[in-house]
């Protein structure tokens, strides 16, 4: 997502070296001065036509990207099960807000470090990033298995896993875009669904194994799973190309463009509230309703399962309608559902809520990368702008769930749920402003 490599620009193609000639200005043009007739410049290649847009090798990259999402965003999406466990066991002396920092830090670092590792990917160090990320996330989980204090868990599960996830995130989105053109959003959506599957598998593994073999070994099993699946990704993934120019880390003038500024602000605000139900649905069902402890856990699984469909189907439609035209209504519905959550106290209602929220909130991860393409003046700045926007989203994730936890500690569940809904709806309003500033009030225009 942060990568210029993901969006090759014809303007950046380095021309072949040719025989040196002197040039003299004549009027507005240049006249070649040489002993031979001037050579006609060869046309700039159409990189789009060279993109495979399918085939075994291209879909193997989707598989590898799927596994990178599985072990980065998938761990973030799994934190709900740890939130509940830490509150009642290992870190019971800490407040819900303090515990939620453990889950929000890796989400923030995933997006922030992804921006920093973008130029590293651009210089061709794809495998170095994958190796580093695989080591850090696996090492972080193994260290988490032996932690007994709050600060130790923050360092291992928060910072170490977060740094590793940031190394994995850029390759996971950049490489898919270099193998697909017209199917880019659809292929990216399939890859991004790995985060939802990770949010299903890893919580189940922990929930089932922890009572039988203890916290330490349950987390170690997760670490071994991460290592083995990342090994598969390393085996099948092959970068197809890289840009001839290095990507700039920042483009400050982008924030002078109202559509981009509003979009970045919108996802900052939206992400601050979007993950509150994902972190707290398990704890809410266990402590505030009559739902059994076993079924309360599976609400998190159901939410992440619905998110798989929510990251594929909307992306498929977005290739035809424009990503922002899908992102805005899905975000709007997610905010409304957070308010509906306030009135749900039955098991059936929580199941329906989990399905709907998982589906509609899934677009907040899968659609922003392709949305930024439509908000950029040329492909040469897409990588930089993607990094800038995802950093804004990371800041929202960093502060959103701890604030929600603090509200819960000082008040009741309804206040926290209202906070989540209001924040997401506020983000939706800003995203609508971004669309209007780009296309005006033309509702049917692709955006």
């Amino acid at each position: 997502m942060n990568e210029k490599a993901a969006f090759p620009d014809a303007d950046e193609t380095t021309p072949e070296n040719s025989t040196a000639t002197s040039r003299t200005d004549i009027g507005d043009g240049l006249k070649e001065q040489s002993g031979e007739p001037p050579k006609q410049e060869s046309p700039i290649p159409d990189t789009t036509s060279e993109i495979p847009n399918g085939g075994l090798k291209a879909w193997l990259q989707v598989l590898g990207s799927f596994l990178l999402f599985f072990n980065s965003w998938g761990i973030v999406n799994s934190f709900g099960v740890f939130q509940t466990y830490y509150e009642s066991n290992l870190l019971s002396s800490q407040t819900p807000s303090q515990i939620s920092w453990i889950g929000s830090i890796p989400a923030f670092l995933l997006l922030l470090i992804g921006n920093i590792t973008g130029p590293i990917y651009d210089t061709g160090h794809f495998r170095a990033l994958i190796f580093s990320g695989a080591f850090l996330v696996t090492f972080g989980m193994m260290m988490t298995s032996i932690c007994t204090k709050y600060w130790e868990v923050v360092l291992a599960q928060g910072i170490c896993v977060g740094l590793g996830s940031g190394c994995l995130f850029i390759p996971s989105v950049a490489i898919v875009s270099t193998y697909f053109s017209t199917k880019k959003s659809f292929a990216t959506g399939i890859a991004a669904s790995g985060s939802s599957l990770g949010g299903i598998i890893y919580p189940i593994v922990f929930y089932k194994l922890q009572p039988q073999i203890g916290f330490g070994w349950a987390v170690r099993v997760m670490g071994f799973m991460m290592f083995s699946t990342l090994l598969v990704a390393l085996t099948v993934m092959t970068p197809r190309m890289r840009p001839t120019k290095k990507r700039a880390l920042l483009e400050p003038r982008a924030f002078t463009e109202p559509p981009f500024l509003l979009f970045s602000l919108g996802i900052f605000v939206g992400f601050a509230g979007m993950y509150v139900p994902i972190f707290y649905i398990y704890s809410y069902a266990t402590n505030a309703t009559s739902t059994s402890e076993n079924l309360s856990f599976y609400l998190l699984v159901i939410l992440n399962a619905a998110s798989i469909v929510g990251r594929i189907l909307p992306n498929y439609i977005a290739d035809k309608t424009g990503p922002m035209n899908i992102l805005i209504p899905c975000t709007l519905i997610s905010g409304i559902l957070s308010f509906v959550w306030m009135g749900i106290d039955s098991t059936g209602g929580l199941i329906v809520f989990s399905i709907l929220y998982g589906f509609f909130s899934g677009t907040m991860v899968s659609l922003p990368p392709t949305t930024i393409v439509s908000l950029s003046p040329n492909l040469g700045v897409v990588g930089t702008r993607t990094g800038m926007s995802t950093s804004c989203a990371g800041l929202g994730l960093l502060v959103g769930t701890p604030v929600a936890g603090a509200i819960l500690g000082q008040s009741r569940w309804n206040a926290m749920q209202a906070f989540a809904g209001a924040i997401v709806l506020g983000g939706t309003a800003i995203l609508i402003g971004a669309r209007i500033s780009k296309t005006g009030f033309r509702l049917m225009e692709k955006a």
Side-chain angles (χ1 to χ4, degrees):
M1 178 163 56
N2 282 33
E3 286 314 301
K4 211 171 196 183
F7 307 97
D9 189 1
D11 291 337
E12 297 182 47
T13 305
T14 303
E16 296 290 334
N17 292 331
S18 56
T19 304
T21 59
S22 61
R23 298 182 178 220
T24 304
D25 290 338
I26 297 181
D28 294 330
L30 290 172
K31 181 178 180 181
E32 298 284 350
Q33 303 295 324
S34 66
E36 300 178 0
K39 294 182 179 180
Q40 186 175 0
E41 292 184 4
S42 57
I44 296 174
D46 182 4
T47 55
T48 302
S49 63
E50 299 171 1
I51 297 176
N53 205 36
L56 177 60
K57 189 173 183 179
W59 287 109
L60 282 176
Q61 310 315 303
V62 175
L63 171 63
S65 180
F66 178 93
L67 294 174
L68 298 187
F69 269 100
F70 183 84
N71 291 295
S72 53
W73 276 112
I75 297 298
V76 173
N77 290 340
S78 302
F79 188 73
V81 69
F82 287 99
Q83 176 82 29
T84 303
Y85 175 80
Y86 290 152
E87 286 179 11
S88 58
N89 292 280
L90 185 64
L91 303 176
S92 58
S93 61
Q94 308 297 319
T95 66
S97 178
Q98 290 172 322
I99 292 171
S100 67
W101 281 105
I102 301 170
S104 65
I105 287 173
F108 166 69
L109 289 175
L110 187 154
L111 295 169
L112 179 68
I113 299 301
N115 185 34
I116 297 172
T117 56
I120 299 176
Y121 179 95
D122 281 345
T123 58
H125 298 294
F126 169 80
R127 294 204 172 275
L129 286 174
I130 300 296
F131 274 115
S132 300
F135 170 77
L136 286 171
V137 294
T138 304
F139 180 74
M141 290 307 290
M142 293 300 185
M143 292 299 100
T144 301
S145 71
I146 60 174
C147 291
T148 59
K149 297 180 175 62
Y150 175 71
W151 67 268
E152 294 173 343
V153 181
V154 170
L155 286 176
Q157 191 174 2
I159 296 177
C160 187
V161 172
L163 291 173
S165 297
C167 292
L168 297 177
F169 181 52
I170 288 305
S172 70
V173 293
I175 198 168
V176 172
S177 295
T178 65
Y179 279 87
F180 291 89
S181 54
T182 59
K183 302 176 183 177
K184 186 180 295 181
S185 290
F186 181 56
T188 302
I190 294 175
S193 67
S195 61
S196 299
L197 186 63
I200 296 171
I201 301 297
Y202 285 130
I204 291 177
V205 169
F206 180 82
Y207 180 76
K208 290 295 185 181
L209 292 183
Q210 186 274 323
Q212 300 178 29
I213 59 178
F215 171 81
W217 273 107
V219 175
R220 286 180 204 118
V221 169
M222 293 175 63
F224 287 125
M225 290 176 61
M226 295 166 74
F227 175 78
S228 59
T229 51
L230 288 169
L231 192 60
V232 174
L234 274 167
T235 303
V236 302
M237 297 184 81
T238 304
R240 192 178 71 87
M241 60 184 300
R242 70 171 186 258
T244 55
K245 289 184 179 179
K246 295 180 181 179
R247 180 175 65 81
L249 191 62
L250 292 173
E251 188 203 0
R253 67 179 181 179
F255 288 118
T256 65
E257 301 174 14
F260 180 79
L261 173 63
L262 290 172
F263 178 77
S264 298
L265 181 60
I267 63 172
F268 164 75
V269 176
F271 266 83
M274 188 66 67
Y275 269 75
V276 173
I278 297 173
F279 276 34
Y280 287 101
I281 185 68
Y282 179 15
S283 180
Y284 171 77
T286 301
N287 299 315
T289 73
S290 58
T291 306
S292 68
E293 200 274 339
N294 187 59
L295 184 56
S296 297
F297 159 74
Y298 279 101
L299 291 173
L300 176 63
V301 174
I302 291 170
L303 190 153
N304 281 313
S307 186
I308 293 178
V309 183
R311 298 184 190 198
I312 296 177
L313 181 59
N315 279 53
Y316 177 77
I317 300 173
D319 279 326
K320 299 174 175 57
T321 65
M324 195 177 293
N325 288 338
I326 300 298
L327 178 63
I328 289 173
C330 288
T331 307
L332 173 64
I333 295 172
S334 297
I336 294 172
L337 285 170
S338 292
F339 278 106
V340 172
W341 184 24
M342 296 171 62
I344 300 175
D345 57 9
S346 67
T347 300
L350 286 172
I351 292 174
V352 173
F353 167 79
S354 297
I355 293 171
L356 293 176
Y357 192 85
F359 177 85
F360 288 107
S361 66
T363 58
M364 281 293 285
V365 171
S366 60
L367 279 179
T370 50
T371 303
I372 294 169
V373 177
S374 69
L375 297 177
S376 300
N378 61 74
L379 295 179
V381 299
V382 167
T384 299
R385 293 187 174 207
T386 301
M388 293 163 64
S389 278
T390 55
S391 295
C392 293
L395 286 171
L397 263 173
L398 178 67
V399 301
T401 52
V403 169
I407 293 173
L408 177 60
Q410 298 296 321
S411 185
R412 292 187 292 182
W413 286 99
N414 280 355
M416 187 198 75
Q417 293 160 329
F419 163 79
I423 289 294
V424 174
L425 289 181
T428 304
I430 300 172
L431 291 176
I432 292 173
R435 189 194 185 282
I436 291 173
S437 67
K438 179 180 184 293
T439 65
F441 291 93
R442 297 183 294 276
L443 296 178
M444 303 307 294
E445 184 166 335
K446 188 175 181 178

